[in-house]
């Protein structure tokens, strides 16, 4: 008696293509998450449509924007796109941003600050560094004491030097 064994469709495919071409199924690694690639072009388009809705106009020739935070950090934009709506006193800044500590960019921004801003900055530094400031003041006073020349009581230097 000859028995005919019926093959399942999976076995037929294995015979036809072999084991190497197997994709998916038991024992294969699955993709953990679907990767979505967002382009900055899409973000730019959304931003610009929102800016147009708000009635903002682009400001030209701005090389740098610095935003000062209360924790002595600065958000710095180099070569940004700046939009403004003067009626509503609103500004929008777009571009690559870096967060830096105020100490790192202090020499660059001193020329950009007004006298009022300089005073506020000096007060902020005094609040941040009260212990360090006292130490530096003591060191400066000690150096000044060493460098001071005693005052002459008499107007004739030769007489004073002979007495000593």
């Amino acid at each position: 008696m000859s028995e005919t064994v019926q093959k399942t469709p999976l076995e037929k495919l294995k015979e036809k293509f072999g084991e190497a071409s197997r994709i998916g199924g038991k024992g294969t690694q699955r993709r953990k998450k679907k990767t979505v690639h967002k382009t900055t072009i899409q973000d730019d388009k959304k931003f610009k449509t929102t800016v147009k809705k708000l009635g903002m106009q682009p400001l030209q020739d701005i090389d740098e924007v610095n935003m000062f935070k209360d924790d002595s950090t600065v958000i710095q934009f180099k070569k940004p796109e700046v939009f403004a709506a003067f009626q509503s006193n609103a500004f929008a800044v777009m571009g690559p941003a870096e967060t830096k500590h105020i100490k790192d960019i202090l020499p660059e921004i001193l020329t950009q600050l007004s006298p009022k801003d300089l005073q506020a900055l000096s007060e902020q530094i005094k609040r941040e560094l009260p212990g360090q400031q006292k130490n530096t003041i003591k060191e400066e006073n000690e150096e000044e004491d060493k460098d001071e020349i005693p005052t002459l009581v008499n107007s004739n230097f030769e007489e004073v030097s002979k007495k000593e």
Side-chain angles (χ1 to χ4, degrees):
M1 264 174 92
S2 67
E3 286 184 29
T4 57
V5 179
Q6 286 201 350
K7 295 180 182 178
T8 62
L10 183 61
E11 292 172 345
K12 288 179 184 177
L13 287 172
K14 284 183 183 178
E15 282 180 14
K16 189 174 182 181
F17 297 107
E19 289 286 326
S21 65
R22 185 169 133 180
I23 298 174
K26 189 174 181 180
T28 60
Q29 188 176 13
R30 291 187 180 185
R31 183 183 289 181
K32 301 255 192 290
K33 64 177 182 177
K34 185 177 179 182
T35 57
V36 178
H37 299 288
K38 272 192 168 183
T39 61
T40 56
I41 296 170
Q42 291 173 343
D43 293 339
D44 290 349
K45 286 180 183 177
K46 288 181 183 178
F47 177 76
K48 289 190 179 184
T49 56
T50 306
V51 163
K52 285 181 184 177
K53 286 180 185 176
L54 294 172
M56 294 184 160
Q57 301 297 322
L59 298 177
Q60 303 296 326
D61 299 329
I62 295 180
D63 295 328
E64 182 179 80
V65 173
N66 294 318
M67 294 182 172
F68 296 89
K69 295 171 65 177
D70 292 335
D71 61 346
S72 298
T73 57
V74 179
I75 302 173
Q76 187 176 43
F77 294 88
K78 298 266 184 176
K79 304 272 183 184
E81 290 184 56
V82 180
F83 298 89
F86 295 109
Q87 315 84 295
S88 59
N89 197 20
F91 294 90
V93 180
M94 186 176 93
E98 296 178 11
T99 303
K100 298 180 178 180
H101 198 274
I102 199 164
K103 293 178 195 173
D104 300 335
I105 61 169
L106 191 60
E108 298 171 15
I109 61 171
L110 280 178
T111 58
Q112 301 170 5
L113 298 176
S114 67
K116 182 180 175 184
D117 293 334
L118 281 173
Q119 184 178 10
L121 181 63
S122 65
E123 289 173 6
Q124 185 177 5
I125 291 172
K126 287 177 185 176
R127 279 183 285 158
E128 275 188 18
L129 308 171
Q132 292 179 356
Q133 187 178 11
K134 290 177 183 176
N135 292 340
T136 55
I137 291 173
K138 288 179 183 177
E139 290 173 3
E140 288 176 4
N141 288 340
E142 289 174 3
E143 288 177 14
E144 287 177 8
D145 291 342
K146 290 178 185 176
D147 293 339
E148 272 188 33
I149 299 172
T151 56
L152 293 176
V153 179
N154 297 335
S155 60
N156 193 351
F157 178 73
E158 293 176 6
E159 292 175 10
V160 176
S161 63
K162 288 179 184 177
K163 290 179 183 177
E164 292 181 355

